[in-house]
Amino acid sequence: MHSRILVVDDERNITFVLQAMLERAGFKTLAFNESACAIEALDRAIDEDDVHVVITDLYMPGAGGMDILDYCQRTHPEIPVVIITAYGSVEAAVLALKRGAFDFVTKPFDQAELLAVIKKADVTFQQRAKEPIILLPHSDEAGKEPQAVFITSITGKSPQMQEVIKVIGKIATSPSTILVSGESGTGKELVAYEIHRNSPRAQKPFIKINCAAIPANLIESEFFGYERGAFTGAVTSKPGRFELAHEGTLFLDEVAEMPLEMQVKLLRVLQEQEFERVGGVNTIRVDVRIVAATNKDLELEVKAGHFREDLFYRLNVVPIHLPPLRERKEDIDSLVRYFLQEFNQKLKKTVTSIEPSCFEAIRAYSWPGNIRQLENAIERMLLMGDGKTLKVQDLPDEIISAVGGVFEGVQGPEGAEGNSFKQIVRRQTQSVERELIEKALEETGGVVTRAAEKLGLSRKGLQIKMKELGLKRGD
Ligand SMILES: Nc1ncnc2c1ncn2[C@@H]1O[C@H](COP(=O)(O)OP(=O)(O)OP(=O)(O)O)[C@@H](O)[C@H]1O
Ligand SMILES: [Mg+2]
């Protein structure tokens, strides 16, 4: 594989000369004459796994080489940064070395010296990129109780989650009704609980009722309770969830699934804070804070006539929306760390790091089941894996095969042993392809044209694939 070198110098002829030298030596290059553009490109390129070494001039208008160095150190410490310096300004280069630069070269360049430094830097990058990424601090520190700060268990540094945490901090102490929305597994229940836990009601009950899980004919008695003899089977009287939640919080989960007749009754309780048990005559007064949750778009449900508009406005006093995990991938790092710590304790494991390619796959996956799916995946990986490092092989199959599509066609580093993520995925893809093609050929008696039809490929396309996979059979 040819490594890509990012070249930064404000003088065009310098970047030109450097590019020429490096490309002649077989490297790919990317050059910029402004450091701001270089940082921007670096940001993008790193996501695509596409810059391996940076070589930069120290003095440039605007942000200089030091800034580029600091940026790399902070965001991608595995990328070696080589400093270009003029004769006579070696002290500055030494300072850069102290700040983590890999090495420096002096202008005018000696071609052999320059290439030697870049090659050494490239080897260093390849080594660093294979080292496991440390996720957890050394185990002595890991076991300590987390400090009692506000809402410790909602993890996420994405702007969206920071905003959610801020809103919770503001509204927890008020009695307002909250509507939490978001796809399945995004943390709606967690948010509801954290609101309760941070409210003055924290010492009182947090009662949950799942509107989707209760049959329509039982929902009223679940909510409001019943008196003895209210219906066949009501041999004793029983309080409902509203009563149980008195002075505490009632969490109405999947509120969109509530039948329309029940919506009317709920609306009345929300307005008057009072109700009667089923079959009862006494009016019961309660003081309950409502947090409702839905994975549907409640406004659409209103438009479709499935949800009462007046109830919607009652519930939607403070809306909190939890975006799906694929829209806040910045949260994946901290969530993985969080769940690792949690399951290490629960399962008595000591996993503290993760292979870069495995982490890459976790970041690339779209997580349709959101945080719950990630949580389950980490738990399973800890159970399956052994040792201290999570590896690609430990990933659940659905992630390997889904992420495979993303990496397909991307050339992995050539080499015999081939254990990079891309290569593993490639091998998996090939074995699936081989199976499908063999089956199609079998079913069509080995007639390539018909097998191709079956597979939705052109005849030529299938022939190419067969050759690639080492399958031979003629028409
Ligand atoms: N930001 C977060 N930080 C840490 N853990 C989280 C976070 N969000 C969710 N979780 C965890 O993910 C799991 C799923 O969250 P939760 O049950 O609250 O989702 P939900 O939106 O109610 O899902 P559903 O719609 O399927 O009921 C829980 O174990 C929860 O603790
Ligand atoms: Mg839930």
Side-chain angles (χ1 to χ4, degrees):
M1 188 183 57
H2 303 292
S3 294
R4 191 187 290 275
I5 318 292
L6 181 76
V7 182
V8 195
D9 197 307
D10 56 321
E11 281 178 63
R12 224 167 264 279
N13 51 356
I14 300 250
T15 49
F16 186 77
V17 168
L18 280 171
Q19 276 189 291
M21 278 187 188
L22 291 168
E23 284 178 9
R24 226 177 301 132
F27 291 106
K28 291 191 285 183
T29 63
L30 191 65
F32 290 95
N33 301 109
E34 263 172 59
S35 43
C37 301
I39 286 181
E40 211 178 282
L42 198 54
D43 220 12
R44 250 176 306 153
I46 286 168
D47 276 345
E48 288 156 23
D49 208 26
D50 219 16
V51 164
H52 308 99
V53 176
V54 171
I55 175 163
T56 175
D57 190 16
L58 260 189
Y59 300 109
M60 287 178 282
M66 247 359 161
D67 297 295
I68 293 185
L69 171 64
D70 287 345
Y71 179 81
C72 274
Q73 293 277 57
R74 228 181 25 249
T75 58
H76 289 271
E78 72 277 13
I79 297 184
V81 178
V82 176
I83 300 292
I84 303 171
T85 169
Y87 267 133
S89 60
V90 174
E91 298 99 74
V94 172
L95 194 65
L97 288 184
K98 283 196 185 141
R99 300 245 301 248
F102 180 76
D103 206 344
F104 64 90
V105 290
T106 45
K107 287 191 261 195
F109 309 110
D110 174 77
Q111 176 150 339
E113 185 201 324
L114 173 83
L115 286 179
V117 169
I118 296 292
K119 278 184 185 150
K120 212 166 63 188
D122 185 31
V123 169
T124 302
F125 172 81
Q126 305 297 347
Q127 282 165 349
R128 286 180 187 170
K130 275 195 216 120
E131 277 165 21
I133 300 164
I134 307 289
L135 294 176
L136 293 181
H138 196 262
S139 55
D140 316 342
E141 295 149 58
K144 281 186 198 153
E145 276 294 296
Q147 290 181 4
V149 255
F150 172 68
I151 332 177
T152 43
S153 50
I154 298 181
T155 310
K157 52 183 186 278
S158 63
Q160 298 101 305
M161 285 314 287
Q162 286 301 313
E163 182 61 28
V164 165
I165 291 169
K166 208 170 92 196
V167 170
I168 293 176
K170 273 197 208 144
I171 51 84
T173 51
S174 83
S176 337
T177 301
I178 319 281
L179 180 63
V180 190
S181 61
E183 284 180 14
S184 181
T186 47
K188 299 184 291 296
E189 183 163 350
L190 178 66
V191 164
Y193 183 70
E194 294 296 352
I195 291 173
H196 172 74
R197 198 154 71 96
N198 288 286
S199 78
R201 299 167 180 263
Q203 303 307 318
K204 303 286 176 173
F206 174 79
I207 302 288
K208 175 183 162 176
I209 184 162
N210 185 338
C211 304
I214 304 167
N217 59 333
L218 294 184
I219 198 163
E220 188 178 356
S221 56
E222 272 298 322
F223 267 75
F224 304 130
Y226 52 83
E227 292 297 349
R228 205 171 96 178
F231 45 82
T232 352
V235 286
T236 55
S237 54
K238 200 180 157 204
R241 307 282 168 109
F242 258 98
E243 261 177 85
L244 296 174
H246 183 52
E247 296 188 320
T249 306
L250 182 64
F251 175 48
L252 298 178
D253 204 3
E254 309 216 31
V255 75
E257 308 308 319
M258 189 181 288
L260 279 164
E261 323 83 82
M262 192 60 209
Q263 292 179 22
V264 185
K265 292 181 177 148
L266 177 62
L267 185 65
R268 187 194 141 207
V269 192
L270 295 186
Q271 281 165 342
E272 294 157 19
Q273 297 270 316
E274 57 182 39
F275 58 89
E276 291 86 37
R277 286 180 175 177
V278 177
V281 286
N282 296 333
T283 298
I284 298 172
R285 283 202 67 83
V286 284
D287 164 23
V288 168
R289 202 257 179 99
I290 304 284
V291 180
T294 177
N295 53 18
K296 294 203 169 144
D297 183 335
L298 219 45
E299 269 183 287
L300 286 183
E301 296 298 302
V302 170
K303 288 203 183 99
H306 301 149
F307 204 83
R308 289 184 66 104
E309 191 171 17
D310 43 13
L311 180 57
F312 170 70
Y313 287 120
R314 270 273 157 193
L315 294 176
N316 198 39
V317 180
V318 180
I320 294 182
H321 179 66
L322 297 174
L325 190 52
R326 62 181 172 281
E327 286 173 17
R328 46 178 165 117
K329 290 207 160 180
E330 311 96 290
D331 290 346
I332 288 180
D333 279 35
S334 43
L335 284 166
V336 169
R337 287 184 166 82
Y338 174 77
F339 291 134
L340 212 52
Q341 185 143 7
E342 188 178 295
F343 290 118
N344 267 336
Q345 272 184 16
K346 233 191 229 162
L347 306 171
K348 309 249 178 306
K349 296 271 181 175
T350 52
V351 174
T352 49
S353 56
I354 185 166
E355 264 183 358
S357 47
C358 181
F359 214 8
E360 195 184 334
I362 288 178
R363 288 192 185 119
Y365 185 59
S366 66
W367 300 104
N370 295 296
I371 298 161
R372 178 175 299 108
Q373 189 189 7
L374 177 66
E375 182 176 18
N376 293 340
I378 300 290
E379 179 172 15
R380 211 164 79 205
M381 288 174 74
L382 249 67
L383 278 172
M384 304 306 257
D386 48 335
K388 295 194 176 306
T389 303
L390 296 180
K391 304 203 168 69
V392 173
Q393 296 91 304
D394 306 329
L395 283 167
D397 292 346
E398 66 269 21
I399 298 173
I400 301 249
S401 45
V403 178
V406 177
F407 288 100
E408 211 181 6
V410 179
Q411 207 69 27
E414 269 125 49
E417 88 280 42
N419 265 329
S420 83
F421 176 71
K422 286 165 204 170
Q423 285 164 315
I424 289 169
V425 165
R426 195 190 169 89
R427 280 203 298 274
Q428 291 235 346
T429 314
Q430 286 189 338
S431 95
V432 172
E433 284 176 345
R434 179 174 290 123
E435 227 171 85
L436 289 172
I437 292 174
E438 278 175 342
K439 188 159 166 273
L441 284 168
E442 217 175 276
E443 286 169 2
T444 57
V447 182
V448 174
T449 318
R450 288 190 38 222
E453 244 167 56
K454 248 182 147 29
L455 292 164
L457 293 171
S458 69
R459 182 165 179 277
K460 184 95 195 127
L462 178 56
Q463 280 173 331
I464 292 172
K465 269 261 167 269
M466 284 170 66
K467 199 167 158 210
E468 217 179 86
L469 298 169
L471 291 172
K472 280 207 193 90
R473 228 179 285 198
D475 261 330

